[in-house]
Amino acid sequence: MTGKIALLTAAALMVSVQAEAQRADPRPAYHFAPKRNWMNDPNGLVYFEGEYHLFYQYNPHGDRWGHMSWGHAVSRDLVTWQELPVAIPETADVMAFSGSAVIDWKNSSGFGQGGKPPMIAIYTGHNPKAKLQSQYLAYSNDRGRTWTVHGEVLSVGSPEFRDPKVFWHEPTKSWVMIAVMALENRAVIFTSSNLKQWTFASSFGPAGGRGRNWECPDLNLLPVEGGKPGEQRWVLSINLGDQAVGGGSGGQYFVGDFDGRRFTPVEGWGGEPVWTDYGADFYAAVAWNDLPKDDPRRIWIGWANDWRYAEAIPTYPARGIMTVARSISLRKTAQGYRLTQRPVRELESLRSGEHISRQLPLGKEPVSLPIEGGAVDLKADLSWEQSEQVAITLTDGEGYQMVIGVNPAVNEVFVDRSRSGPHFHDGFANRHVARVDLSRGKVSLRLLVDESIVELFINDGEQTITDRFFRGSGGLRWSASARDGPAMLNVTAWPIKPEVQR
Ligand code: FRU
């Protein structure tokens, strides 16, 4: 009898192991995902002693949102990430929501030890029982490995005051915090000399795109390409929990000036929202603090997801991935200042020697591209005279498709994932477009494809579309075609070795 039960249990176990194996998704090769469980926003991005830190909203106990804690990964090159133990766990009453980290070089907080500056995290303590969100401080004296929670440093008595981004403002020699009053769609700015006492400075919004929540603000001084020599402008980025460009969550930005206390949008801004990304899956992007002195870049990373369906995406045993790190700047265009995003150049180190380079005439019949695998860095220059649509299609073994292309007559670059995999949520299977001037009959695309995500950078990063996709079995086959008139595809593709993440 006992033997029989043992046998049955073993059989049940095998079935569940098999079910898990079936559900297991091909892990992304070069996008960061925790080994298991739920992840959302990037938090505490800071560089210190050779390491880029990526903390993130993490549930150590499951693959849906909950028990929010700060997970932790480090990288020496922004490309390969090593996951470390949870950095700041939730406590009995208080979850550790989103926030940021700085190196307190002058030990203004007094938490340094042995002449070494502390790493300071300022994040939202979310206390559902007390219906309170307030800002907490924790510090680390061992390069972010272990943390001491000092406690609450700023409360305005509100249940929706969150996501502090703290940075050092050299001209006024003070710490600046930008956070949100989420439901009011307002960003609020505070200043401090020691990271512990904060003084209210100003408020911005509602403005531009409005939604149920404003979340995860950031404020960055960016160089202006094509502007006056040395021109720089401040960019205030704000995320909307819903009603962003595709109807779900997404980011918008405002360009202006910041004097250390107040953000003022540039003159001539018409009040219309300007989106950071035209896909569905780019949220809560924030930039690194304290990049090495000899690196003039601003670099940010986003959570590749949309709150509409984030908890339903069919991946296992981890749910949630980050985008690649992107270097950001502004460009002066006919429409005004526009955010430009490019994959960090460090990613080029992943390009193996064996790339393919082809010049292919395209017509109605799809031409297959000699690309192997689902992890690829690809540059595609498309040109046409009359075509109605020019597209690159990724097809899996079951016929599910992901289409990336242009519709010149309506000046649209698109990612169409309406047939990208088995149905799992009504808000997922749709098509996303960026408006691009295609009147000169050409466009240049950079595509980062990694098993279940595509990041599309249009015309050297002037616009981006970030979308996840999910597929059936079988490898991805790549093809290209042009409808209603011939086109040319000039393509270079670098396959990326699987599992470069540790
Ligand atoms: C954004 C967000 C933040 C909050 C965190 C909680 O995705 O809702 O506003 O701090 O996630 O996990």
Side-chain angles (χ1 to χ4, degrees):
M1 193 64 193
T2 332
K4 205 165 170 189
I5 290 175
L7 220 82
L8 278 173
T9 318
L13 203 79
M14 264 181 66
V15 170
S16 80
V17 167
Q18 270 167 12
E20 286 191 0
Q22 277 158 12
R23 282 177 60 208
D25 217 50
R27 274 183 72 77
Y30 59 98
H31 284 75
F32 176 74
K35 293 217 162 42
R36 53 191 309 116
N37 291 333
W38 167 271
M39 174 178 79
N40 57 289
D41 316 350
N43 295 157
L45 305 179
V46 68
Y47 175 87
F48 187 51
E49 295 190 338
E51 290 178 322
Y52 297 90
H53 291 263
L54 167 60
F55 299 92
Y56 45 87
Q57 287 289 280
Y58 187 59
N59 179 355
H61 307 295
D63 65 357
R64 284 169 193 271
W65 188 90
H67 301 288
M68 296 324 294
S69 303
W70 275 32
H72 190 195
V74 288
S75 171
R76 295 198 160 266
D77 58 6
L78 289 167
V79 178
T80 48
W81 295 95
Q82 185 190 2
E83 189 175 343
L84 297 174
V86 167
I88 307 177
E90 70 165 346
T91 60
D93 292 325
V94 182
M95 291 196 219
F97 269 21
S98 285
S100 50
V102 292
I103 304 305
D104 183 10
W105 289 105
K106 294 184 185 141
N107 196 21
S108 66
S109 62
F111 293 123
Q113 267 174 19
K116 272 189 69 175
M119 187 182 285
I120 306 271
I122 308 262
Y123 61 96
T124 301
H126 172 72
N127 185 334
K129 271 193 216 147
K131 294 201 171 45
L132 187 67
Q133 291 186 344
S134 54
Q135 312 325 321
Y136 276 55
L137 185 153
Y139 61 89
S140 167
N141 301 109
D142 59 359
R143 299 179 305 130
R145 274 29 179 210
T146 60
W147 290 84
T148 305
V149 176
H150 166 72
E152 184 183 276
V153 289
L154 175 61
S155 174
V156 296
S158 164
E160 48 121 4
F161 170 43
R162 61 179 183 270
D163 305 344
K165 170 70 188 255
V166 173
F167 60 93
W168 176 252
H169 186 251
E170 183 57 31
T172 53
K173 303 234 178 308
S174 75
W175 296 106
V176 173
M177 175 198 294
I178 180 156
V180 288
M181 301 301 295
L183 296 175
E184 295 169 34
N185 285 192
R186 269 197 311 133
V188 279
I189 294 174
F190 294 79
T191 58
S192 172
S193 60
N194 61 10
L195 295 162
K196 294 184 289 197
Q197 275 99 33
W198 292 91
T199 309
F200 176 75
S202 67
S203 163
F204 176 83
R210 309 192 189 173
R212 202 162 72 82
N213 286 306
W214 270 19
E215 300 186 317
C216 301
D218 201 357
L219 195 48
N220 289 288
L221 183 61
L222 301 184
V224 180
E225 298 169 19
K228 299 179 205 106
E231 187 180 349
Q232 293 181 305
R233 287 286 181 167
W234 285 90
V235 173
L236 167 62
S237 49
I238 303 269
N239 292 271
L240 275 76
D242 61 358
Q243 297 176 50
V245 61
S249 44
Q252 64 172 330
Y253 64 92
F254 305 88
V255 179
D257 296 316
F258 175 64
D259 61 6
R261 297 175 54 78
R262 180 173 295 278
F263 174 82
T264 320
V266 282
E267 263 176 54
W269 173 61
E272 285 301 304
V274 187
W275 306 109
T276 52
D277 187 283
Y278 289 85
D281 295 312
F282 188 67
Y283 199 64
V286 276
W288 262 275
N289 274 326
D290 289 290
L291 285 190
K293 293 262 174 309
D294 58 354
D295 188 344
R297 294 177 297 177
R298 292 301 290 166
I299 297 174
W300 74 0
I301 198 167
W303 175 47
N305 223 331
D306 182 330
W307 274 116
R308 268 184 299 187
Y309 47 72
E311 288 193 313
I313 57 172
T315 68
Y316 183 85
R319 197 180 261 125
I321 65 176
M322 294 298 173
T323 63
V324 296
R326 302 174 175 187
S327 112
I328 50 176
S329 56
L330 287 171
R331 202 177 286 172
K332 223 166 183 173
T333 74
Q335 292 79 40
Y337 295 102
R338 285 292 178 269
L339 185 73
T340 300
Q341 304 180 64
R342 299 183 178 93
V344 290
R345 59 167 182 270
E346 286 87 341
L347 280 158
E348 287 162 32
S349 67
L350 292 174
R351 294 176 172 177
S352 54
E354 306 138 25
H355 66 278
I356 66 127
S357 212
R358 295 275 192 289
Q359 212 172 1
L360 297 167
L362 303 181
K364 213 167 102 213
E365 282 309 309
V367 190
S368 52
L369 307 179
I371 298 173
E372 303 249 312
V376 180
D377 177 353
L378 181 140
K379 271 164 93 170
D381 289 321
L382 294 173
S383 55
W384 59 85
E385 273 164 30
Q386 302 293 337
S387 312
E388 191 261 322
Q389 173 166 306
V390 189
I392 296 175
T393 303
L394 282 64
T395 313
D396 73 5
E398 295 179 31
Y400 291 118
Q401 289 194 332
M402 184 73 175
V403 190
I404 299 115
V406 297
N407 291 127
V410 286
N411 286 319
E412 282 181 2
V413 176
F414 68 86
V415 172
D416 186 349
R417 62 176 186 188
S418 51
R419 288 180 295 148
S420 80
H423 177 269
F424 67 92
H425 190 282
D426 287 348
F428 187 82
N430 39 33
R431 183 175 177 274
H432 301 123
V433 303
R435 300 223 150 262
V436 180
D437 178 6
L438 299 175
S439 58
R440 284 181 304 146
K442 59 179 186 176
V443 72
S444 128
L445 306 177
R446 169 112 180 254
L447 263 175
L448 295 180
V449 172
D450 194 1
E451 303 296 347
S452 62
I453 181 170
V454 49
E455 294 187 59
L456 172 60
F457 298 83
I458 304 161
N459 286 337
D460 200 16
E462 207 157 282
Q463 295 184 74
T464 59
I465 303 182
T466 306
D467 272 340
R468 296 209 63 183
F469 60 99
F470 301 101
R471 15 194 270 246
S473 57
L476 284 179
R477 283 173 292 119
W478 295 66
S479 63
S481 59
R483 231 164 44 199
D484 292 341
M488 276 304 279
L489 166 64
N490 212 325
V491 63
T492 307
W494 292 264
I496 290 171
K497 291 173 240 91
E499 300 286 348
V500 291
Q501 303 300 343
R502 275 172 282 168

